[in-house]
Amino acid sequence: MRIGNREVKLTNLDKVFFPAHGLTKGDLVRYYLDLAPHVLNQISRRPFHMVRYPNGVEGEFFHQKRVTTHPEYVGEQFVRFPSGHSTVFAVIDNAAALAWVVNLGCIELHTWHSRIDDIERPDYLLIDLDPTTDGQWPYVRQIALVVREVMDELGFASYPKTSGATGLHIMAPIKPELLFPEVRRFAKALAEEVERRVGDQEVATTTWKVADRRGVFVDFGQNTRDRTIATAYSVRPTPDARVSAPLRWDEVADVDPAAFTVETMRDRVADVGDLTAEMWGQQVSLGPSFAKLGIESP
């Protein structure tokens, strides 16, 4: 397939990846190419963690950090881990590279919270609202509005999106100035402030031990080096080919994650545009806000 000025070898495009809806690998490639400008706005210049489903959502999957032999249009980033081990991640900066990783069976797009310009310093803060039990989606929507309230008071731009699974992500773009441990420490204090304002452990909790949780987990722990999330516009490995969809804040109170799928997202974007388009122009310095949450500045 010709993508821009590059020739990309794609294989088995008729293989069914989502049997419940009859969607093929070719449908998945076309979805990502149709939304490529918006997708690349999120994943460019980030280490890319492959989660490969070579036989679709009903088959086995595996994680792959090290990029295999690849075309010249796929970038690389060397990373050394605290253990002393190292690897070379793929970097997906163009539509051809995007099609290449999807052809490998990467249904989801998982990237680091930092860019290759400085992989030790994230450029967004994330709060992940993760239900502990079934039936807590109304709590997720309620808590999200409290997260927004706290972020507004801190002077952050906040961008909600469905996780595409059972939860909701709220991202706040920040200047890549602080190391991951400091960003995580700040996110923990922010999550605890959300928990305090909700004031009900049956609704919202920052309790780390899973067995002790009852409410929705206000998860700050994703703000850690080498953690990844499914990015905005990423398809998830669900039977209905659900997508992690950016939202307007006025949609959050009534949102249904099942509304956003490979089959509906093109119309969604045509209707509302790319709700993350201005995101990276809204980055703020995190350092001055530590004192506002009553924690020591870095």
Side-chain angles (χ1 to χ4, degrees), residues 137-138 141-142 144-145 247-256:
W137 181 249
R141 296 182 297 196
Q142 174 188 342
L145 298 178
L247 303 170
R248 299 190 307 261
W249 272 113
D250 62 6
E251 298 176 297
V252 169
D254 300 308
V255 69
D256 178 2

Side-chain angles (χ1 to χ4, degrees), residues 65-97:
K65 293 183 178 182
R66 182 174 296 276
V67 64
T68 56
T69 302
H70 55 84
E72 51 80 24
Y73 51 76
V74 176
E76 324 182 318
Q77 177 61 41
F78 175 83
V79 173
R80 187 174 298 281
F81 299 100
S83 65
H85 294 129
S86 64
T87 194
V88 177
F89 285 90
V91 179
I92 308 303
D93 285 343
N94 57 74

Side-chain angles (χ1 to χ4, degrees), residues 73-210:
Y73 51 76
V74 176
E76 324 182 318
Q77 177 61 41
F78 175 83
V79 173
R80 187 174 298 281
F81 299 100
S83 65
H85 294 129
S86 64
T87 194
V88 177
F89 285 90
V91 179
I92 308 303
D93 285 343
N94 57 74
L98 179 59
W100 182 79
V101 293
V102 176
N103 186 62
L104 292 179
C106 293
I107 293 173
E108 304 176 276
L109 306 180
H110 283 271
T111 57
W112 281 36
H113 304 333
S114 56
R115 309 257 184 181
I116 60 174
D117 313 72
D118 188 345
I119 62 168
E120 304 300 336
R121 292 174 171 81
D123 66 350
Y124 65 88
L125 178 148
L126 175 72
I127 296 296
D128 179 6
L129 301 181
D130 185 14
T132 299
T133 61
D134 292 340
Q136 292 186 328
W137 181 249
Y139 292 165
V140 169
R141 296 182 297 196
Q142 174 188 342
I143 299 162
L145 298 178
V146 180
V147 175
R148 183 196 187 188
E149 177 184 278
V150 176
M151 287 187 172
D152 281 352
E153 292 174 9
L154 293 169
F156 300 162
S158 55
Y159 290 81
K161 69 181 184 71
T162 62
S163 71
T166 60
L168 193 141
H169 298 151
I170 301 105
M171 302 169 67
I174 59 174
K175 293 182 179 178
E177 298 169 334
L178 299 180
L179 298 172
F180 275 101
E182 293 297 335
V183 175
R184 184 184 187 279
R185 183 164 67 90
F186 184 91
K188 181 175 186 288
L190 193 158
E192 289 171 344
E193 175 61 16
V194 170
E195 176 187 44
R196 186 190 68 79
R197 293 191 188 193
V198 172
D200 186 345
Q201 287 287 310
E202 301 292 336
V203 176
T205 183
T206 59
T207 299
W208 193 256
K209 189 175 179 180
V210 176

Side-chain angles (χ1 to χ4, degrees), residues 195-252:
E195 176 187 44
R196 186 190 68 79
R197 293 191 188 193
V198 172
D200 186 345
Q201 287 287 310
E202 301 292 336
V203 176
T205 183
T206 59
T207 299
W208 193 256
K209 189 175 179 180
V210 176
D212 294 338
R213 292 180 202 156
R214 298 190 303 276
V216 172
F217 184 39
V218 186
D219 186 2
F220 53 86
Q222 299 293 341
N223 299 280
T224 303
R225 189 183 191 269
D226 195 29
R227 290 287 180 89
T228 65
I229 61 166
T231 63
Y233 303 108
S234 174
V235 182
R236 303 306 304 274
T238 59
D240 57 355
R242 201 168 291 190
V243 171
S244 179
L247 303 170
R248 299 190 307 261
W249 272 113
D250 62 6
E251 298 176 297
V252 169

